[in-house]
Amino acid sequence: MDSIMSHIVNRRSVRAYTAKKVDRNDILTMLTAASWAPSGNNLQPWKFCVIMEDAELIKNLASLTVYQNWVKDAACLIAVFLDARALDNNIPDIYIKHVQAIGAAIQNMLLVAHGLGLGTCWIGEILKNADKVRDLLNIAADLQLMAVLSVGYPGKDPKSRRKIVSENIVGWF
Ligand SMILES: Cc1cc2nc3c(=O)[nH]c(=O)nc-3n(C[C@H](O)[C@H](O)[C@H](O)COP(=O)(O)O)c2cc1C
């Protein structure tokens, strides 16, 4: 299997982390991968906030999700935002395109992290507390929270799940 496909197939959401710190360069590599994602009209609507030095802040952010028992152990959290300043009303469906681009950027980050031996989890559940996340990070209202990613060295191997690839997801014409 080529390496891209092997990272796609072998990446699993990781929900347990060791205490080992992550290297800032690895996080920079993830952010570079995010920046190379495609985006509608190449508007690159993403912004990121990396929390890896301030343990108290990690704990406070973790408390905003029902998954706090393992999110608090992540060596790094990356909050991902859609920058509303990149919304151009002259471009049809630009909001949908920006959300899709941010999904692509996140997937790039997860795959690169996997290649670096890091475990990640995409946390959407925290979106219910988007305002509180912005308050904790002192982030302006024109940045809309899209996700928080937990990053760290895997504490245990995640369950390997066989994904069912079925013909039901595709129509061939
Ligand atoms: C938009 C989105 C939101 C998600 N939110 C959460 C979440 O809040 N908590 C969590 O543990 N996993 C979350 N996940 C991870 C999914 O549960 C996970 O990707 C899915 O179960 C498949 O498992 P895998 O990533 O190991 O292949 C989210 C994934 C996506 C794409």
Side-chain angles (χ1 to χ4, degrees), residues 11-13 15 67 70 121-125 161 163:
R11 179 213 56 81
R12 290 278 74 76
S13 294
R15 300 184 177 91
Y67 303 111
W70 51 266
C121 192
W122 179 331
I123 303 156
E125 194 272 339
R161 288 190 306 109
K163 299 227 175 179

Side-chain angles (χ1 to χ4, degrees), residues 9 18 23-24 28 43 55 61 69 71 101 126 136 140 142 145 156 159 170:
V9 169
T18 70
D23 191 322
R24 194 186 175 92
L28 278 172
L43 283 171
L61 287 166
N69 59 319
V71 174
I126 200 169
L136 278 175
D142 43 16
L145 186 68
K156 56 178 181 211
K159 273 196 207 122
V170 61

Side-chain angles (χ1 to χ4, degrees), residues 77-139:
L77 297 177
I78 303 177
V80 184
F81 297 93
L82 185 156
D83 189 346
R85 289 165 297 190
L87 289 170
D88 180 342
N89 288 332
N90 296 314
I91 304 172
D93 303 313
I94 192 64
Y95 182 76
I96 296 175
K97 291 175 186 174
H98 281 354
V99 172
Q100 291 172 344
I102 285 169
I106 292 174
Q107 177 72 343
N108 276 5
M109 286 196 276
L110 303 190
L111 292 176
V112 161
H114 182 259
L116 293 166
L118 292 165
T120 56
C121 192
W122 179 331
I123 303 156
E125 194 272 339
I126 200 169
L127 292 177
K128 65 180 188 204
N129 282 321
D131 289 347
K132 288 179 182 154
V133 171
R134 274 212 319 272
D135 284 349
L136 278 175
L137 298 174
N138 211 4
I139 296 279

Side-chain angles (χ1 to χ4, degrees), residues 7-40:
H7 289 311
I8 290 171
V9 169
N10 292 318
R11 179 213 56 81
R12 290 278 74 76
S13 294
V14 169
R15 300 184 177 91
Y17 301 100
T18 70
K20 186 176 172 188
K21 295 238 183 281
V22 296
D23 191 322
R24 194 186 175 92
N25 285 328
D26 286 349
I27 302 300
L28 278 172
T29 304
M30 288 175 65
L31 296 172
T32 304
S35 309
W36 280 95
S39 62

